[in-house]
Amino acid sequence: ACKLLLVLDGLDESRHSLDFTNREVISDVTRVSSVNVLLVNLIQGNLLPSALIWITSRPAAANQIPPCCLDRVTEVRGFTDSQKEEYFRRRFHDEDLSKRVISHVKASRSLHIMCLIPVFCWITAKVLEDMLTAGQKEQLPKSLTDLYSHFLVFQMRRKKQKYEGHQRPEELAEADREVLLKLGRLAFEHLEKGTVWPGCFRGVGALGRVYRDVQKSVYCFVHLSVQEFLAAVYILLNLHEKTPPVDDFLSRVMKKSLESPNGHLDLFVRFLHGLSLKSNQRILGRLLNQTENHPDTTQKTINNLKEMKSDTVSPDRSINIFHCLLEMNDDSVHQEIQEFLKSQKKSEKRLSEIQRSPLAYLLQMVHTSEEGRRRLIPAVRNCRKELRELNLSESRLQESGVKLLCAGLESPNCKLETLILNSCGLSEISCGSLASSVTSNPSFLKELNLNSNKLLDSGVKLLCAGLESPNCKLEILRLLDCSLSERSCHFLASALKSEPSRLRVLNLSENQLLDSGVKLLCAGLESPNCKLEILRLWNCGLSERSCDYLASALTSNPSHLRILNLSENKLQDPGVKRLCAYLQNPLCQLDTLRMWNCGLSESSCNSLAAALECNPSHLRELNLSENKLQDSGVKLLSDLVNSPTYKLETLGL
């Protein structure tokens, strides 16, 4: 009566390489094989096919798993701004102390951003509590490197007090230096390979933890960022001994990190740049030999960062150049962007390469104040090729924020193509402002994502009035989980029938549209003006009757739709049988059909197999996961995958 759940916690900390190109298939639970091969077969569903697999990981390591093996992806984004403050208030019983900590974190851009990670809040609290309660007169840390340098000193001093029984001097002892350098070497060697090193040394405080079993003791870092920091300490110390030019060395390392597809060196490079400053070296005392930098070495390093070409790398990589500048206490790029945001000149201001990624990054933080939202107007109004996509998801924009934003969208200078407003607390009022924006002349907006906002049917009505305008260029509209009913389908059908209709992608998933809603929507789908290519209707309360309406509409206008997702609806076998009438149409171009958890049996496999035998040249992906297809049904479809006659490449079971 139950399913087995396997939790693979921390894939990014695993030293097992996952080779999904390996053809070794294991389905027998009694067969002995390596952990690597067993993991791959579990994830692919060859081994324990009915089991559920839950994997936690940093995004970079999650990319090892092919998309075809994933049913659902959830991103945990950490603390919001209000939760950061709540953490520090609960962490300290002294109200005055908590206020001072919160004030300092909010004033430091680097610390405030990183505090979305709970463990980073813990590190910050440890360091600031120690410094503030001890009455130290030195400046509180403002950068990431500054903070971790203090954290390292704090942990070594705490270890000394706990295990050696007397107060430790601020400078690190030679024995500690030797231990930490060995630790740093291990950290770096495994960081370079892209793996987390689970080996640590006894007695280094909260830098690592020990786990014991019968045969041996295993140590690991308390957090990956600690490994990255110690790796930077190790490399910089060796750099001092070999004495190459520091600025040249940092430039080479930065270029190597930009080439990384998953960003595993990003934080390490930030620490390296931060540790090149004398101020951070002084914090660590005798652990680091003082560099013999020329007076202009720091400025050369900053200039190298600003001049670095980043237009060929991903935004996630290029933004790290901006972070490295912040670690070197250089605020010039941020100040230049602030000036750009304030400027109302339309033709004289242009963004440099180094400014583009930070601008997009800062715009994502605009929910912090009304003033931040106001500054969006000139930024969006003045943008030309610099800013094509704006993602303000989970920002507290509300209606007032969207109205201000739309003032920029309506400018003839705005070239924005993608606007993402996921979970921004919007209502139907926002749709009126957005409809006005997409009908402005000219409008370049091609994608609008309004997922998880309570737009209601009245909001969709306003939005569709804009879609019907000949000036509207919108091709992608995402309205997942927007509290819509069948009435919204009537307005959308009207938009699909309009001349010209440019809409190519429509996502209405997780709205209770019901069969009556699909019937209304099909009036638009069967129009010769409709050019829709992707339609997603998963979890919309549909039954087999919706399949009737869809089959009829798509048979009338069969040549455009490529992807159809009807998952998590009670379609049953009769629904699939009716849908197969459309699949048999020689004009059908559908290449992806998803119907997982739709209450299907082996009878649906018979219908699908028969349909594909009549028209074998189009369907490439078929997902029927979480249906009781039985062995006989699966064999029918598997034979189609293995046959060269059919184009079916991916079968989700």
Side-chain angles (χ1 to χ4, degrees):
C2 302
K3 285 188 177 182
L4 178 66
L5 171 65
L6 296 172
V7 183
L8 309 181
D9 187 20
L11 180 66
D12 53 311
E13 298 184 13
S14 170
R15 287 183 292 168
H16 298 288
S17 58
L18 303 181
D19 181 10
F20 286 89
T21 62
N22 192 330
R23 297 300 178 187
E24 185 179 358
V25 177
I26 296 179
S27 57
D28 183 359
V29 294
T30 65
R31 182 176 167 185
V32 176
S33 186
S34 67
V35 174
N36 306 45
V37 174
L38 291 174
L39 283 174
V40 168
N41 278 274
L42 277 171
I43 294 171
Q44 287 179 326
N46 302 323
L47 187 63
L48 301 176
S50 62
L52 303 171
I53 312 289
W54 186 7
I55 300 171
T56 70
S57 173
R58 279 188 177 187
N63 293 334
Q64 298 177 68
I65 303 174
C68 61
C69 296
L70 301 174
D71 290 318
R72 182 166 299 179
V73 176
T74 302
E75 180 183 4
V76 181
R77 294 194 170 186
F79 286 161
T80 63
D81 287 353
S82 60
Q83 288 171 333
K84 295 173 191 176
E85 294 186 24
E86 182 183 356
Y87 175 89
F88 290 119
R89 282 196 298 269
R90 293 191 177 193
R91 173 68 175 75
F92 303 113
H93 297 297
D94 187 332
E95 185 178 348
D96 181 60
L97 180 60
S98 67
K99 285 182 179 178
R100 292 172 68 188
V101 170
I102 291 170
S103 176
H104 178 74
V105 169
K106 290 173 74 173
S108 171
R109 193 173 302 107
S110 293
L111 301 190
H112 190 251
I113 292 169
M114 287 298 292
C115 274
L116 66 88
I117 304 171
V119 74
F120 190 82
C121 286
W122 174 76
I123 292 173
T124 304
K126 286 279 186 184
V127 172
L128 295 184
E129 180 182 28
D130 179 64
M131 296 183 72
L132 290 170
T133 54
Q136 296 184 29
K137 296 182 179 179
E138 58 185 309
Q139 188 179 24
L140 295 176
K142 292 183 178 179
S143 70
L144 206 59
T145 312
D146 195 354
L147 182 81
Y148 272 67
S149 298
H150 280 287
F151 179 64
L152 180 57
V153 172
F154 166 75
Q155 290 300 340
M156 298 307 295
R157 187 174 68 246
R158 184 169 175 266
K159 185 212 74 166
K160 194 77 172 180
Q161 293 169 348
K162 183 174 182 180
Y163 296 107
E164 299 183 24
H166 58 81
Q167 183 66 31
R168 173 183 177 80
E170 286 298 319
E171 293 184 340
L172 299 174
E174 189 63 29
D176 293 335
R177 181 175 182 271
E178 183 182 354
V179 169
L180 289 171
L181 288 180
K182 288 180 179 179
L183 199 59
R185 179 181 176 183
L186 291 173
F188 172 72
E189 288 175 350
H190 286 266
L191 183 67
E192 196 174 29
K193 299 174 186 176
T195 60
V196 177
W197 173 250
C200 191
F201 287 92
R202 191 188 310 270
V204 288
L207 297 177
R209 291 175 180 166
V210 57
Y211 301 90
R212 294 183 176 88
D213 60 23
V214 203
Q215 298 177 327
K216 61 181 179 180
S217 295
V218 178
Y219 304 86
C220 74
F221 294 102
V222 71
H223 192 251
L224 182 53
S225 60
V226 175
Q227 175 184 347
E228 292 160 316
F229 177 70
L230 290 174
V233 170
Y234 167 76
I235 285 300
L236 208 62
L237 181 68
N238 280 272
L239 174 68
H240 301 161
E241 293 171 355
K242 297 173 184 176
T243 61
V246 176
D247 53 304
D248 288 346
F249 170 75
L250 291 175
S251 181
R252 292 199 301 269
V253 176
M254 188 75 219
K255 288 176 182 176
K256 183 176 180 180
S257 75
L258 291 175
E259 295 169 359
S260 167
N262 56 24
H264 73 288
L265 297 175
D266 283 359
L267 200 53
F268 163 71
V269 170
R270 285 174 67 178
F271 283 133
L272 266 182
H273 281 80
L275 287 171
S276 70
L277 296 182
K278 289 281 189 181
S279 56
N280 287 322
Q281 294 171 16
R282 280 195 295 270
I283 296 170
L284 295 176
R286 284 166 43 188
L287 175 63
L288 286 179
N289 298 326
Q290 296 293 297
T291 56
E292 297 298 330
N293 291 351
H294 295 290
D296 60 347
T297 299
T298 298
Q299 191 57 49
K300 282 183 180 178
T301 303
I302 291 171
N303 292 340
N304 288 341
L305 287 170
K306 290 184 176 181
E307 293 168 6
M308 196 158 286
K309 296 291 183 183
S310 61
D311 53 341
T312 59
V313 300
S314 70
D316 286 340
R317 299 287 73 71
S318 60
I319 191 66
N320 205 43
I321 300 174
F322 175 60
H323 288 312
C324 289
L325 286 167
L326 292 180
E327 290 304 312
M328 299 197 71
N329 296 329
D330 181 83
D331 214 23
S332 59
V333 175
H334 180 262
Q335 291 170 0
E336 290 165 9
I337 294 170
Q338 293 292 348
E339 290 302 317
F340 174 80
L341 291 172
K342 293 175 183 175
S343 172
Q344 297 295 323
K345 297 178 181 179
K346 298 180 180 178
S347 58
E348 297 177 11
K349 283 280 186 180
R350 297 291 299 237
L351 287 178
S352 65
E353 283 185 27
I354 187 63
Q355 291 171 334
R356 291 173 193 168
S357 289
L359 172 61
Y361 185 80
L362 291 172
L363 290 179
Q364 293 184 53
M365 310 300 288
V366 297
H367 64 275
T368 53
S369 68
E370 182 75 11
E371 177 61 21
R373 292 197 288 264
R374 291 188 184 279
R375 290 185 181 185
L376 269 176
I377 301 172
V380 178
R381 182 189 292 129
N382 294 343
C383 70
R384 286 170 171 75
K385 69 177 181 180
E386 289 92 351
L387 186 58
R388 299 294 187 188
E389 177 178 326
L390 183 58
N391 188 341
L392 298 172
S393 296
E394 299 188 14
S395 302
R396 301 183 187 90
L397 292 182
Q398 310 295 338
E399 276 66 44
S400 58
V402 172
K403 188 175 181 179
L404 290 166
L405 179 63
C406 288
L409 292 175
E410 293 176 17
S411 166
N413 288 333
C414 178
K415 303 296 190 296
L416 198 70
E417 296 179 358
T418 301
L419 178 59
I420 304 174
L421 302 175
N422 217 340
S423 302
C424 288
L426 309 185
S427 72
E428 65 269 29
I429 301 172
S430 299
C431 293
S433 302
L434 290 165
S436 176
S437 297
V438 298
T439 58
S440 60
N441 191 18
S443 172
F444 292 88
L445 201 65
K446 294 182 179 179
E447 178 176 350
L448 181 59
N449 186 332
L450 298 173
N451 291 343
S452 301
N453 291 291
K454 290 188 177 181
L455 306 182
L456 307 177
D457 299 321
S458 52
V460 173
K461 182 179 181 180
L462 292 170
L463 201 59
C464 287
L467 292 177
E468 295 179 25
S469 167
N471 291 332
C472 179
K473 305 294 192 303
L474 208 64
E475 297 178 357
I476 301 173
L477 180 59
R478 306 187 193 278
L479 299 173
L480 177 147
D481 186 26
C482 287
S483 302
L484 311 183
S485 75
E486 64 265 30
R487 290 187 60 221
S488 290
C489 295
H490 170 71
F491 307 128
L492 288 163
S494 178
L496 291 172
K497 290 189 289 185
S498 63
E499 173 63 37
S501 174
R502 294 187 172 87
L503 212 58
R504 298 291 183 271
V505 178
L506 180 60
N507 190 344
L508 299 173
S509 301
E510 295 201 340
N511 292 292
Q512 285 301 298
L513 306 181
L514 309 178
D515 297 323
S516 53
V518 172
K519 183 178 182 180
L520 292 169
L521 187 66
C522 284
L525 293 177
E526 63 189 12
S527 167
N529 291 333
C530 177
K531 304 294 190 297
L532 205 64
E533 297 176 5
I534 299 175
L535 178 60
R536 294 188 171 96
L537 297 171
W538 55 271
N539 193 19
C540 288
L542 312 183
S543 75
E544 61 197 64
R545 293 178 60 197
S546 289
C547 295
D548 261 336
Y549 304 136
L550 286 167
S552 176
L554 295 175
T555 302
S556 303
N557 183 20
S559 61
H560 300 290
L561 202 70
R562 295 185 298 100
I563 298 177
L564 178 61
N565 191 336
L566 298 172
S567 301
E568 292 196 326
N569 290 293
K570 295 181 180 179
L571 305 183
Q572 311 294 339
D573 297 324
V576 173
K577 186 175 182 180
R578 290 162 187 168
L579 200 60
C580 285
Y582 165 58
L583 295 178
Q584 293 176 11
N585 190 314
L587 297 178
C588 172
Q589 297 299 313
L590 201 68
D591 60 44
T592 300
L593 178 59
R594 296 179 181 135
M595 295 187 293
W596 48 273
N597 192 19
C598 287
L600 311 183
S601 73
E602 65 267 32
S603 175
S604 290
C605 298
N606 290 325
S607 302
L608 287 163
L612 293 181
E613 286 171 4
C614 294
N615 186 15
S617 63
H618 60 293
L619 202 66
R620 284 172 168 74
E621 179 185 335
L622 179 61
N623 193 330
L624 300 173
S625 301
E626 297 186 38
N627 290 292
K628 296 182 179 180
L629 306 181
Q630 310 299 330
D631 296 334
S632 56
V634 171
K635 185 178 187 306
L636 272 173
L637 298 175
S638 298
D639 289 343
L640 298 184
V641 176
N642 297 325
S643 171
T645 308
Y646 302 93
K647 298 295 183 182
L648 198 61
E649 298 170 355
T650 303
L651 181 60
L653 298 171

